Amino acid sequence: MFKRKRSDEDFAAEIRAHLELEAEALKGEGVCDDEARRRARVEFGSVQQAKETFRMRGRALGGESFWRDVRYALRGLGRSPGFAVVTVLTLALAIGANTAVFSLLDQAVLRALPVSDPGRLVVFSFAGSHPGHWHSEGGSTPGHVHEFSYPMYQDLRARNTALRGLIAAAPASVGVTWQNRAESVGAEMVSGNYFELLGVRPAVGRLFGNADETAAGANPVAVLNFDYWKSHLGEAEVVGKTLMINGSPFTVVGVSAAGFHSMEWGRQPAVYVPLTMESVVQPEWNYLNERNTYWIEVMGRLRDGVTPAQASASMNQLFLSLRKEEFPQLKDQSAKARRDFLETAHLNVDEGAKGFSPMRDDVRTPLTIVMGMALLVIAMAVVNVASLLLVRAATRVREFSVRYALGATGGQIVRQLLVEGMLLGLLGAALGLVLAPRALQLLIHWMAGRSPDQPVFAPTLDWRVLAFALGATVTASLIFSLAPAAQFWNPRLAEALRQTGSGVQSSMKFLRSCVALQIGFSLVLIVAAGLFVRTIENLRAVNTGFPTEHLLEFELAPEMAGYGATAVAPIEERALDALARLPGVKSVGATNDPDLANDDRNGDVVVSGYTPKPDEEFDVELPWVSTGYLQTLGVPLVAGRYFSGSDTATSTKVAIVNESLVRHYFADVNAALGQHVSRPKRSTDAIIVGVVRDVKHASVREGALPTCYIPFTQGDRPTELQFSLRTRQQPDAAVNSVRAAIAALDPKLIVSDVATMTEVIDDSILAERTIALLATAFGALAAVLAGIGLYGILAYSIAQRTREIGIRMALGARRGRVIGLIVREVLVLAGSAVAVTVPLAMLASHAVASELFGVSAADPLVYAVGILLIGVVAVLAGWIPARRAARVNPVEALRAE
């Protein structure tokens, strides 16, 4: 900004203003009026003398220290405690909210793994067919399958030349018994070089080495996660002690370093075991030697001097050669199978500093949306504080005029204002950082759902988050300090002292713009809140295909208690009988593929009489269920019968299908009954004895899947089951009796994941609920900030219009008319802001349309409610200043002017 060169006439006007100020100051010291004027004239006797006086005083004041400005700013805030409190609280809420949300975003999306030199890590995925079994934790797509077979991993590790090493890991759930206390925990099966390659050191004892990954079942050793060791075992001496995992003894060799969990962000294992112990950790599996089973994730570390591009070229060549070696072992040797397995195959080598994480993909969009809302809140706070500072500055014209009269320069005044703004920002940030950890803990607890003891996020603020908070504070402080600073950069003292209307009008235009921005930001946040609240209502109201009330769910895995393959089914049947006899239980059932749990067990089937189309791929959900499961769930029967007690392991194999499967394979429901269905490459087929209605399976968002149910008693291997109880009373009341009934069968049996179906549904829509909660909170905060800003500006505007209001009332205007005039002006201002903002809000809403359900991004009801709320806030903010204005005494108002 350039200063205009002042002429002698300008200086003459300034001299006259200074004479008045100097005389007034001298009179305040007890000097008589004539003497005060005489002394002032002596000091400012001529234009040249005035110029010299200004230069001398400016040099003297230029030597004032920064700390003097700080002390002056503190005194000024002390004289305006109401202003200081409102401003600091506004900034604290905005900065605290942004800091808490940014901490979540940083941990989930931005932060690298807490390992040695994470920038040299790479993760692997591949494109191409993967015939056989596939166990995915999510995140895989047709072009990026993240799971590999164990033999493929061994070959890539042994024969590559671009990497220092490769590691592998796979998740599992296990039953852990320590000092006669059994519980279900998360586990991670890892390669022997896992910790060494990542650079993770032990907190206690030692970690795994290559000697701990030899032959299948030969390495019963375990490493505990630091958090689990501290919270569940009380930091007990564990090295060399025996830990029972799924009923088998494992020797604890060490505890991992604090802060490390897994190479996959979001995975929270309590215990680590070697991959070669897969038969104990997952008794249903036997995958170590199978090339057509994809179940482990692979990560590598680049050799020194090798670039990711070089590693990709080298590893891809090796991968293709290994696939060629594997192809002759496949049963399908057709040209299509060869094309899918070899010609379309490609190994992807991607940057791995952040690790592989399906959960990161799930939370990235919700957290980005919430972060955008938080940034809108801080933008509102900046505009709000800027308008309040400008209003405050308008009342300090005489103060700054005196300082100019004493020789201060525009730069010194602006520096003072910047110091005051920065001080407000730092005070707000300090309070915000006090509030942020608590807000972060509440968010983490909310997002943990039914697993609050194993939070994915850490409730701490690290240096990156603190740096963000500091950067946000400095940026916000500079921005909101510019408004008053610009006003006093190059003032015309004589005009300022005369309080001419141009400056006031200019300030009012800027202040009205500030209000319009706040109203606009508020409307965007309120609309977002409305859209996500309606999304939650719609998701909860979805017809799942079965009644969700009075339904209790829990998981029982006999393998975790050490039951062998032949003993699993009998204990599960005993559990079903015991639960059915409990008072208050209407019916009970179980399945290995529970509904609405974001889980699936699908594959292709062969249906008698049906000829598949060329290249047809039609996966079918294949749950194993107990007798009574479909009745307990409340799935209506369309034709045929349900499973019965006569459908045993030795009886004729039977199946029940749903309407979606019937529509694909058969002409009608009756045509499906009696037909045969089987899995490919399996000799035994089943007869369709019933057809049931479609039900939602993976989640309430997704449609029904074609499903083929079979009795779990006729399955070809043991399986853990999810139990469902239909109760007469509230399902929560049955939890204790359920645990007691299972404990009576065997105290080692672990009952886990106990929840009502309502809780299961709420967990499945946790991301949407989190966005709705925060959007509502931010929308409410935005409305309050807009109301505060609007109130402050109206109060200032009415104070400037005291004479006008006095004249109106002197001419006979009634108080109600004055109030109506001011409220009408407020509504016009709010309406103008809303008219401009609505199209922008619609544009912003379309950006989050993928997260909505059952509601349009331009839903008229949501916008109508949002506009109504803005109107209510505007009227409330304008009512108090309007009533105060209506009580103005016309005579006193005119006399004051």
Side-chain angles (χ1 to χ4, degrees):
M1 185 181 296
F2 297 98
K3 290 185 178 181
R4 184 175 63 84
K5 185 176 180 180
R6 291 188 287 183
S7 65
D8 285 349
E9 290 78 5
D10 293 328
F11 264 107
E14 299 292 322
I15 290 169
R16 287 192 294 272
H18 280 291
L19 287 173
E20 295 178 13
L21 288 171
E22 288 285 334
E24 186 174 333
L26 290 169
K27 284 192 291 183
E29 297 174 4
V31 181
C32 68
D33 185 66
D34 291 339
E35 179 64 17
R37 293 182 180 278
R38 188 189 64 76
R39 290 188 190 181
R41 291 192 187 93
V42 169
E43 189 167 1
F44 296 96
S46 66
V47 170
Q48 191 60 38
Q49 186 176 352
K51 290 182 178 180
E52 185 61 30
T53 302
F54 289 160
R55 281 194 291 269
M56 292 176 62
R57 291 186 176 181
R59 284 195 295 269
L61 290 172
E64 290 183 351
S65 67
F66 168 76
W67 294 111
R68 186 173 300 175
D69 287 339
V70 172
R71 289 194 297 272
Y72 185 83
L74 287 172
R75 286 198 302 269
L77 294 178
R79 289 193 296 269
S80 305
F83 164 80
V85 169
V86 169
T87 303
V88 170
L89 279 178
T90 298
L91 294 172
L93 291 173
I95 293 173
N98 274 267
T99 301
V101 175
F102 179 78
S103 179
L104 299 179
L105 187 69
D106 175 55
Q107 293 181 55
V109 179
L110 305 177
R111 191 179 302 180
L113 293 175
V115 300
S116 175
D117 193 13
R120 299 294 291 170
L121 296 175
V122 290
V123 293
F124 295 89
S125 61
F126 71 91
S129 67
H130 40 91
H133 301 291
W134 178 37
H135 293 269
S136 176
E137 288 295 298
S140 292
T141 61
H144 288 80
V145 178
H146 291 280
E147 290 76 24
F148 293 79
S149 69
Y150 185 69
M152 173 62 79
Y153 158 69
Q154 288 182 306
D155 290 339
L156 290 172
R157 182 177 65 180
R159 295 163 61 174
N160 87 87
T161 58
L163 305 174
R164 283 176 49 191
L166 270 78
I167 58 175
S173 293
V174 298
V176 168
T177 304
W178 171 261
Q179 296 181 344
N180 296 322
R181 182 168 61 91
E183 61 181 332
S184 174
V185 301
E188 189 170 51
M189 297 178 282
V190 301
S191 56
N193 62 340
Y194 182 80
F195 296 104
E196 178 187 359
L197 193 73
L198 290 174
V200 177
R201 297 184 178 276
V204 176
R206 72 171 180 88
L207 304 180
F208 295 146
N210 287 326
D212 296 308
E213 182 192 3
T214 55
N219 312 106
V221 291
V223 169
L224 302 182
N225 176 267
F226 183 90
D227 289 348
Y228 177 76
W229 172 64
K230 182 177 180 179
S231 62
H232 287 66
L233 306 186
E235 300 188 41
E237 178 59 45
V238 293
V239 176
K241 302 293 180 64
T242 298
L243 187 75
M244 301 300 290
I245 298 179
N246 288 355
S248 298
F250 279 68
T251 301
V252 179
V253 297
V255 177
S256 65
F260 174 79
H261 295 285
S262 171
M263 73 177 194
E264 176 183 314
W265 182 84
R267 187 181 290 168
Q268 303 284 303
V271 60
Y272 308 89
V273 298
L275 276 165
T276 48
M277 299 305 296
E278 166 253 8
S279 60
V280 175
V281 174
Q282 297 283 17
E284 301 178 30
W285 298 1
N286 186 20
Y287 296 158
L288 285 179
N289 298 317
E290 293 190 11
R291 289 189 173 272
N292 64 341
T293 300
Y294 305 83
W295 58 290
I296 59 175
E297 298 154 4
V298 179
M299 174 181 280
R301 185 178 290 277
L302 298 174
R303 291 185 183 275
D304 293 339
V306 176
T307 66
Q310 292 171 334
S312 179
S314 174
M315 294 297 294
N316 193 61
Q317 185 176 5
L318 173 59
F319 176 72
L320 292 177
S321 67
L322 292 173
R323 295 273 281 190
K324 289 178 181 178
E325 295 175 12
E326 287 184 346
F327 181 72
Q329 303 176 34
L330 301 181
K331 292 184 178 180
D332 188 353
Q333 296 290 303
S334 66
K336 178 182 182 301
R338 183 179 185 86
R339 182 176 67 253
D340 293 342
F341 194 77
L342 296 178
E343 296 177 14
T344 63
H346 180 81
L347 185 70
N348 306 304
V349 181
D350 300 313
E351 183 271 334
K354 300 175 187 176
F356 163 72
S357 178
M359 182 177 288
R360 178 182 295 121
D361 297 334
D362 293 337
V363 302
R364 185 194 309 271
T365 299
L367 285 180
T368 302
I369 293 172
V370 172
M371 191 72 235
M373 294 178 183
L375 290 175
L376 272 182
V377 170
I378 202 169
M380 277 199 67
V382 168
V383 175
N384 187 286
V385 175
S387 60
L388 292 178
L389 283 174
L390 194 58
V391 169
R392 182 169 181 259
T395 67
R396 301 172 67 189
V397 171
R398 196 162 191 82
E399 171 194 339
F400 288 118
S401 299
V402 171
R403 296 197 69 189
Y404 273 109
L406 295 177
T409 64
Q412 290 164 349
I413 296 296
V414 169
R415 184 185 69 184
Q416 177 66 52
L417 289 167
L418 290 175
V419 168
E420 291 180 5
M422 193 62 65
L423 183 61
L424 285 170
L426 291 175
L427 290 174
L431 181 57
L433 290 177
V434 171
L435 300 174
R438 181 58 181 161
L440 184 58
Q441 288 176 342
L442 290 174
L443 285 174
I444 291 172
H445 179 76
W446 174 267
M447 297 179 71
R450 289 184 289 122
S451 303
D453 57 335
Q454 292 183 324
V456 174
F457 296 95
T460 55
L461 307 179
D462 70 352
W463 67 268
R464 285 174 291 266
V465 179
L466 295 177
F468 168 82
L470 179 61
T473 300
V474 172
T475 303
S477 301
L478 288 175
I479 292 173
F480 64 63
S481 297
L482 288 177
Q487 184 179 6
F488 290 102
W489 176 254
N490 186 26
R492 305 296 300 277
L493 186 57
E495 293 180 5
L497 289 173
R498 287 196 301 269
Q499 294 284 343
T500 56
S502 60
V504 174
Q505 293 301 322
S506 177
S507 296
M508 284 308 304
K509 289 179 181 179
F510 179 80
L511 290 173
R512 288 177 181 272
S513 299
C514 288
V515 170
L517 278 175
Q518 292 180 70
I519 291 173
F521 290 154
S522 298
L523 182 60
V524 171
L525 290 171
I526 291 172
V527 165
L531 291 174
F532 282 106
V533 167
R534 290 208 63 192
T535 291
I536 296 300
E537 292 174 350
N538 293 336
L539 287 171
R540 284 175 171 162
V542 164
N543 180 12
T544 59
F546 58 90
T548 58
E549 302 82 10
H550 297 280
L551 199 58
L552 184 70
E553 307 268 315
F554 71 90
E555 187 174 307
L556 185 68
E559 300 95 330
M560 293 185 181
Y563 282 78
T566 58
V568 169
I571 192 64
E572 289 173 336
E573 290 182 347
R574 288 175 58 197
L576 287 168
D577 291 339
L579 294 170
R581 292 194 298 269
L582 290 177
V585 174
K586 294 176 63 176
S587 61
V588 62
T591 179
N592 67 344
D593 189 12
D595 293 296
L596 304 181
N598 287 317
D599 192 13
D600 60 65
R601 290 174 180 261
N602 56 30
D604 52 350
V605 295
V606 176
V607 176
S608 59
Y610 178 80
T611 302
K613 301 178 178 62
D615 299 333
E616 178 180 306
E617 294 184 5
F618 189 73
D619 282 344
V620 173
E621 201 68 24
L622 297 164
W624 297 358
V625 302
S626 72
T627 301
Y629 173 74
L630 294 172
Q631 297 96 311
T632 298
L633 208 63
V635 182
L637 184 69
V638 177
R641 67 174 177 88
Y642 290 115
F643 295 134
S644 68
S646 61
D647 298 319
T648 65
T650 57
S651 65
T652 302
K653 307 299 182 186
V654 294
I656 294 176
V657 299
N658 71 346
E659 292 175 308
S660 291
L661 186 143
V662 169
R663 282 192 294 270
H664 183 80
Y665 287 108
F666 304 104
D668 55 46
V669 169
N670 293 324
L673 296 177
Q675 298 296 326
H676 291 251
V677 61
S678 64
R679 296 293 308 280
K681 309 178 183 66
R682 297 188 182 182
S683 57
T684 304
D685 57 8
I687 298 174
I688 299 175
V689 297
V691 177
V692 295
R693 296 284 186 194
D694 289 343
V695 299
K696 298 276 187 179
H697 179 69
S699 71
V700 292
R701 273 186 176 269
E702 299 181 17
L705 301 174
T707 305
C708 177
Y709 302 94
I710 64 172
F712 88 95
T713 53
Q714 295 183 351
D716 55 8
R717 64 182 184 279
T719 181
E720 62 184 42
L721 296 177
Q722 178 100 8
F723 284 69
S724 299
L725 282 78
R726 179 72 65 179
T727 63
R728 294 183 178 88
Q729 75 275 39
Q730 288 300 317
D732 290 335
V735 173
N736 290 335
S737 58
V738 166
R739 292 188 182 277
I742 299 299
L745 295 176
D746 186 345
K748 299 193 300 296
L749 288 171
I750 300 170
V751 175
S752 60
D753 293 334
V754 182
T756 65
M757 183 56 73
T758 301
E759 291 172 332
V760 171
I761 293 174
D762 277 350
D763 273 2
S764 71
I765 59 175
L766 185 59
E768 292 88 347
R769 289 196 299 126
T770 300
I771 298 176
L773 172 72
L774 293 178
T776 302
F778 290 154
L781 178 59
V784 171
L785 291 179
I788 292 172
L790 187 54
Y791 169 79
I793 291 167
L794 284 173
Y796 172 68
S797 171
I798 291 171
Q800 298 298 319
R801 299 171 61 187
T802 302
R803 179 180 174 82
E804 174 200 335
I805 294 172
I807 292 173
R808 286 178 179 272
M809 298 189 71
L811 294 176
R814 295 185 177 182
R815 290 184 177 182
R817 185 175 181 82
V818 172
I819 293 174
L821 173 67
I822 295 172
V823 171
R824 185 164 55 251
E825 290 180 0
V826 171
L827 290 177
V828 169
L829 175 60
S832 302
V834 165
V836 174
T837 305
V838 165
L840 299 178
M842 288 184 176
L843 187 63
S845 300
H846 280 291
V848 299
S850 61
E851 299 297 313
L852 304 178
F853 181 84
V855 59
S856 167
D859 184 72
L861 177 61
V862 170
Y863 280 86
V865 172
I867 293 170
L868 178 62
L869 287 176
I870 290 295
V872 170
V873 169
V875 170
L876 291 177
W879 183 256
I880 297 176
R883 289 192 62 190
R884 187 179 301 149
R887 290 198 297 266
V888 169
N889 187 318
V891 176
E892 293 180 0
L894 295 173
R895 183 183 297 123
E897 289 294 326

